[in-house]
């Protein structure tokens, strides 16, 4: 593990996230690049949701210099783990979680510490690592919606007095 160093790291992380998104079958087990940009250029720069990207971002690299994992917060008490599927192991998940707990856990008003980490319901490796460390499910699930773009658009009722039409031509 190492800290984020410079702007080159940002572009490497963007390339990493593009690759991971495709390797995960376009499922958001890690962030889409647009979300990373939004985090850096809006949430950090404008909202000051956490410290600067260079202070809060950690990278795990292989011996050959490939990114294996990236860790960062969005807000206090929340951590996002992005792991390259080819390098996912229980040991790496636990190491990244340990770093997240050390760096990004927040305190409640009564002095308890907490950390929120996302885990997809079918991500057995992440869920096992979270359970092993005493995490529990909290809050409402996040739903990802999809539609087969080759299938016909389903018919939906239109409110009385309205119509749906193309803003372009028939073509």
């Amino acid at each position: 593990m190492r800290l984020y160093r410079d702007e080159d790291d940002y572009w490497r992380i963007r390339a990493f996230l593009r690759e991971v998104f495709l390797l995960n079958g376009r499922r958001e087990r890690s962030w889409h690049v647009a979300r990373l940009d939004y985090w850096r250029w809006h949430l950090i720069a404008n909202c000051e949701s956490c410290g600067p990207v260079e202070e809060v971002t950690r990278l795990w690299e292989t011996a050959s210099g490939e990114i294996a994992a990236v860790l960062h917060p969005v807000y206090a008490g929340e951590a996002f783990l992005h792991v390259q599927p080819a390098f996912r192991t229980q040991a790496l998940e636990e190491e990244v979680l340990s770093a997240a707990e050390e760096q990004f856990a927040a305190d409640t008003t009564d002095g308890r510490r907490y950390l929120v980490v996302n885990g997809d319901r079918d991500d057995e490796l992440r869920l096992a690592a979270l359970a092993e460390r005493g995490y529990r499910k909290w809050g409402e699930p996040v739903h990802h919606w999809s539609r087969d773009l080759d299938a016909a658009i389903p018919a939906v009722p239109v409110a009385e007095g309205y119509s749906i039409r193309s803003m372009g031509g028939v073509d």
Side-chain angles (χ1 to χ4, degrees), residues 59-97:
L59 293 85
W60 278 257
E61 295 175 318
T62 66
S64 62
E66 291 179 84
I67 297 176
V70 175
L71 169 68
H72 61 82
V74 174
Y75 297 100
E78 185 177 28
F80 283 87
L81 292 63
H82 312 287
V83 183
Q84 213 280 8
F87 303 124
R88 287 190 79 205
T89 63
Q90 193 74 25
L92 180 58
E93 287 283 324
E94 290 173 6
E95 184 176 332
V96 177
L97 280 169

Side-chain angles (χ1 to χ4, degrees), residues 14-33 83-86:
R14 287 181 99 255
F16 166 80
L17 289 177
R18 278 194 306 275
E19 176 186 4
V20 168
F21 183 66
L22 294 175
L23 290 171
N24 283 326
R26 293 187 165 95
R27 294 189 61 212
E28 291 189 45
R29 290 193 175 200
S30 59
W31 278 7
H32 186 280
V33 173
V83 183
Q84 213 280 8

Side-chain angles (χ1 to χ4, degrees), residues 3-166:
L3 291 174
Y4 177 101
R5 280 193 285 245
D6 54 29
E7 193 66 15
D8 287 342
D9 276 345
Y10 190 76
W11 294 102
R12 290 183 63 227
I13 292 169
R14 287 181 99 255
F16 166 80
L17 289 177
R18 278 194 306 275
E19 176 186 4
V20 168
F21 183 66
L22 294 175
L23 290 171
N24 283 326
R26 293 187 165 95
R27 294 189 61 212
E28 291 189 45
R29 290 193 175 200
S30 59
W31 278 7
H32 186 280
V33 173
R35 191 169 179 191
L36 179 77
D37 289 344
Y38 181 81
W39 171 66
R40 180 181 187 183
W41 301 114
H42 177 63
L43 290 177
I44 292 177
N46 297 325
C47 301
E48 298 177 353
S49 67
C50 63
V53 67
E54 60 273 6
E55 293 178 12
V56 299
T57 307
R58 276 89 176 131
L59 293 85
W60 278 257
E61 295 175 318
T62 66
S64 62
E66 291 179 84
I67 297 176
V70 175
L71 169 68
H72 61 82
V74 174
Y75 297 100
E78 185 177 28
F80 283 87
L81 292 63
H82 312 287
V83 183
Q84 213 280 8
F87 303 124
R88 287 190 79 205
T89 63
Q90 193 74 25
L92 180 58
E93 287 283 324
E94 290 173 6
E95 184 176 332
V96 177
L97 280 169
S98 179
E101 291 167 358
E102 184 178 311
Q103 299 296 316
F104 306 128
D107 296 318
T108 63
T109 55
D110 62 359
R112 292 180 295 131
R113 295 181 53 79
Y114 72 93
L115 182 68
V116 176
V117 176
N118 288 339
D120 286 354
R121 71 174 175 222
D122 62 342
D123 185 350
E124 294 175 13
L125 192 61
R126 172 76 45 86
L127 296 178
L130 290 168
E132 178 75 23
R133 301 180 78 80
Y135 286 78
R136 62 178 174 79
K137 290 181 183 178
W138 173 72
E140 296 297 320
V142 175
H143 297 282
H144 294 268
W145 295 77
S146 65
R147 182 176 83 76
D148 181 349
L149 297 178
D150 292 326
I153 297 174
V156 295
V158 178
E160 188 176 328
Y162 289 85
S163 63
I164 297 177
R165 64 179 175 78
S166 170

